[in-house]
Amino acid sequence: MSKIEKQAITKRYQKIALFGYIGLLILMPTWLLGLSPREGYSTGFVIGLYIVPLLLPLKGIIQDKPYTYAWANFIVIIYFLHGFTSLWVAQNEMVFVLLELLFASCMFIGCTYYARYRGQELGLKIRKLKEELAEEKAAFEDKE
C-alpha cells in the first residue's frame, strides 16, 4: 500500500486484529457447520449469516487498508451479538461461545486502534462534522 513504515504499536494492533479476524474465520464454519450444526437452519442460511459477513473485509485487509479495518468493526458487532446471546441459550457450547467472544474482542480492539494509528501515520483524517457544516454554510452564503 504505502512505503511509510509502521510503528511498533501499529504492528501490534494489526496482529491483534488479524488474530481475531482469522480466529473468527476458522471458528465460525468449524463450529456452526462442522462440530455443532444448527438444527432447523439450512446450511446456506448459516453461511450467509455467519460466514459471508467475515469475507466482506477480506480484500481490504489483505491490501492493508486502514479504512477497511475501521468499517470491519460494524461487521464484528454481529459476532458480539451472537456470542452474548449464546451465553444464555447455548451453555453446552460454552468453549465455542467464549472463543467467539475472545476473537470478536480482539478483532474489535485491534481494528479500532490499527485504523487509528495507521491512519495517523499515513496522514489520513476523518473530517469533523463541524468543519463540513462550516464549508456548506459558506458555500450557501456565497450563492446569495
Side-chain angles (χ1 to χ4, degrees):
M1 178 178 167
S2 177
K3 301 292 180 195
I4 298 173
E5 185 146 348
K6 294 177 189 170
Q7 296 176 0
I9 193 165
T10 306
K11 290 178 185 178
R12 185 176 319 125
Y13 281 116
Q14 185 179 30
K15 287 177 186 176
I16 293 169
L18 292 174
F19 171 77
Y21 180 68
I22 293 167
L24 283 172
L25 272 175
I26 294 168
L27 175 69
M28 298 314 286
T30 304
W31 173 24
L32 300 175
L33 296 175
L35 299 174
S36 182
R38 300 290 163 231
E39 292 181 26
Y41 296 108
S42 69
T43 302
F45 177 78
V46 172
I47 290 171
L49 188 62
Y50 296 112
I51 296 159
V52 169
L54 283 171
L55 300 177
L56 296 175
L58 183 60
K59 180 181 176 192
I61 287 175
I62 290 170
Q63 293 175 341
D64 196 22
K65 295 185 176 184
Y67 187 74
T68 302
Y69 281 83
W71 67 255
N73 279 337
F74 292 112
I75 291 171
V76 81
I77 296 301
I78 296 167
Y79 303 95
F80 277 121
L81 290 172
H82 180 259
F84 285 123
T85 302
S86 297
L87 280 174
W88 298 105
V89 299
Q91 293 181 356
N92 57 333
E93 299 176 340
M94 194 58 65
V95 172
F96 301 121
V97 172
L98 293 176
L99 281 173
E100 179 182 21
L101 290 171
L102 170 71
F103 292 141
S105 297
C106 287
M107 184 177 168
F108 185 81
I109 292 166
C111 285
T112 299
Y113 287 104
Y114 177 74
R116 177 182 180 183
Y117 289 118
R118 189 62 180 154
Q120 288 173 350
E121 291 169 359
L122 297 173
L124 304 176
K125 269 180 134 175
I126 296 176
R127 295 181 52 178
K128 293 183 179 178
L129 181 58
K130 184 177 178 181
E131 294 171 4
E132 299 255 347
L133 292 174
E135 281 185 17
E136 285 182 25
K137 182 179 179 183
F140 180 74
E141 290 173 348
D142 288 343
K143 288 182 182 181
E144 292 178 348

